[in-house]
Amino acid sequence: MTRLTLDRRALLGAATAGMGLAFAGRVAAQTDASRPKLVVVIARGAMDGLSVTIPYADPDYVPLRGGLALAAPGEPNGALDLAEGFGLHPALAGLHRLHDQGQMRFAPAVALPVRIRSHFEAQDVLENGGEALRQREDGWLNRAIVAAGGARLQGLSIGAQTPLILRGDAPVSSWAPGGRVTGEDRIAALLQDLYVDDPMLGQNLARGLATEALVADGSGQTVRRNDVEALGRAVARLMTGAEGADIVAVSLDGWDTHAGQRGQLQTRLTGLDQLISGLKDGLADQWSRTVVVVATEFGRTARANGTQGTDHGTGSSLLLAGGGLKPGGLIGDWPTLADNRLFEGRDLAPTLDIRSVFKGVLRDHMGLDRAALDTRVFPDSAAEAPTLAGLV
């Protein structure tokens, strides 16, 4: 099991604070459904795309990366071959198996529509879906729910707070991984007695307890905070059935690798791989109708710094996985790592606006039309066409 940092809040605190836990207590009523599912994972801190989808065939890769360069496929501890001159980080063995099954694709050089290297500002733009900082107070994923008809899709946020990407007019539910609280626990019993006559707090506490029971595995054990694969299965349980979530946002922290990047990325990527494996296992048959998007706010410098890490950059990788994908390879163009092709002489140069990939998934997988994507979900973005016809 690998520890991966997530935003957290004790579930009881979330319930008594009135957070929406709309999927609680409905296990008996849940039935299989044919609705498409979308999970957006935000790797917060700027994931180093050159260590995730590795351009091992680019002649400038090893000279630029130095001690951070990973070996080519077939060599000891080498990358996992993706063809077209790219490999996948060896910690992503589960994703590589999905690739071999036609269920994983990647865009190796994406970026925001604006060139900024501040985590706070870049995450704001990534989530608001516009072209500038604080351009919107709601998120593009919430606007997608509204554009699709609102009540037709159920949104779910995983973490202590609902991120900007899911805030907006469409109501969404939340679940924060944490310690389990049961009816046998003294604190839970006292609170149930205290709130028995309170129509809001009593109901929210009951929903919180029921939701935690729903996401616990069949043995009744709680989801431990360092068991990322179990977290994936727990999220999947909140996505299944007639009233399960259709659109889910998950935030994963810890990708700001200024020093000792090799070891940090091994841990982070192992956790990401386990999370997606847990989702796949937990969703079972519904995995065939699911797409997972892994995105980050910006990439990192092409060259290592003096502490065997990398600094804030520009272009990075975006990963797609799921049974809902059509088989295919690289998405977008590769700019190469030649000195005269680096952005500002230091970063991987982006060749694709990240919104184009989001649009492609929302159009082909979730059924949103181009007009809604260009004007409502990503305002004033008609110049950025959805990526590839038939992406999913």
Side-chain angles (χ1 to χ4, degrees):
M1 292 184 294
T2 300
R3 185 179 184 275
L4 195 63
T5 307
L6 296 105
D7 295 326
R8 301 186 186 95
R9 177 183 296 169
L11 178 66
L12 183 59
T16 56
M19 292 181 71
L21 295 161
F23 311 116
R26 298 178 180 176
V27 182
Q30 289 183 348
T31 58
D32 191 24
S34 59
R35 304 192 310 268
K37 305 288 184 180
L38 173 61
V39 180
V40 177
V41 179
I42 301 178
R44 297 187 185 276
M47 181 176 70
D48 179 37
L50 292 175
S51 292
V52 177
T53 55
I54 300 149
Y56 66 86
D58 189 310
D60 294 294
Y61 168 68
V62 173
L64 267 177
R65 295 254 101 181
L68 295 183
L70 278 82
E75 298 181 17
N77 300 314
L80 307 171
D81 196 19
L82 295 175
E84 299 185 69
F86 285 85
L88 200 61
H89 191 286
L92 297 172
L95 272 172
H96 189 250
R97 286 191 293 272
L98 290 177
H99 175 267
D100 290 346
Q101 298 165 17
Q103 297 183 14
M104 180 260 169
R105 300 187 65 180
F106 65 101
V110 301
L112 303 174
V114 290
R115 305 291 176 252
I116 47 180
R117 298 189 181 101
S118 158
H119 292 302
F120 173 78
E121 294 179 355
Q123 287 178 26
D124 182 276
V125 175
L126 174 68
E127 296 180 70
N128 77 40
E131 295 187 346
L133 178 66
R134 302 185 189 90
Q135 188 174 44
R136 306 278 306 198
E137 294 184 356
D138 55 1
W140 64 262
L141 204 50
N142 189 286
R143 296 196 298 274
I145 296 174
V146 175
R152 185 171 73 83
L153 298 177
Q154 300 285 348
L156 172 65
S157 167
I158 305 300
Q161 295 179 334
T162 300
L164 174 60
I165 195 171
L166 260 183
R167 295 180 205 158
D169 293 337
V172 298
S173 297
S174 302
W175 175 62
R180 187 181 180 199
V181 182
T182 70
E184 288 75 34
D185 293 327
R186 182 172 179 271
I187 184 66
L190 289 173
L191 287 171
Q192 285 176 313
D193 289 343
L194 179 63
Y195 297 146
V196 66
D197 294 322
D198 190 303
M200 182 183 75
L201 295 179
Q203 183 181 53
N204 284 335
L205 175 60
R207 285 180 175 176
L209 296 174
T211 299
E212 188 68 6
L214 176 60
V215 298
D217 62 29
S219 65
Q221 296 298 310
T222 187
V223 178
R224 287 177 288 180
R225 290 177 177 176
N226 65 341
D227 191 342
V228 188
E229 190 164 350
L231 172 65
R233 292 193 297 269
V235 173
R237 281 190 285 276
L238 292 174
M239 296 173 64
T240 55
E243 298 188 54
D246 306 294
I247 291 182
V248 180
V250 183
S251 294
L252 302 180
D253 295 331
W255 301 87
D256 196 14
T257 51
H258 285 283
Q261 179 171 293
R262 268 186 173 271
Q264 289 194 64
L265 278 185
Q266 179 71 31
T267 299
R268 301 289 178 264
L269 292 172
T270 298
L272 174 63
D273 201 60
Q274 291 174 346
L275 175 69
I276 295 174
S277 293
L279 280 168
K280 179 180 183 294
D281 292 346
L283 286 167
D285 291 345
Q286 292 202 34
W287 177 254
S288 66
R289 298 183 291 275
T290 299
V291 170
V292 179
V293 181
V294 181
T296 193
E297 66 262 36
F298 48 72
R300 308 193 72 81
T301 49
R303 297 178 180 85
N305 60 28
T307 57
Q308 284 303 294
T310 50
D311 299 319
H312 298 178
T314 306
S316 189
S317 297
L318 178 146
L319 304 177
L320 295 175
L325 282 178
K326 286 186 177 179
L330 179 137
I331 301 168
D333 297 322
W334 175 243
T336 80
L337 294 172
D339 226 23
N340 63 350
R341 298 300 303 274
L342 295 178
F343 178 71
E344 296 185 347
R346 46 169 277 165
D347 301 338
L348 173 66
T351 62
L352 188 62
D353 189 316
I354 198 169
R355 296 173 299 173
S356 293
V357 186
F358 297 152
K359 282 184 175 184
V361 172
L362 290 174
R363 181 193 64 186
D364 296 344
H365 185 57
M366 303 305 295
L368 274 69
D369 63 61
R370 175 72 187 271
L373 291 170
D374 290 347
T375 60
R376 298 174 63 188
V377 181
F378 300 99
D380 303 316
S381 67
E384 301 300 333
T387 307
L388 301 179
L391 183 65
V392 295

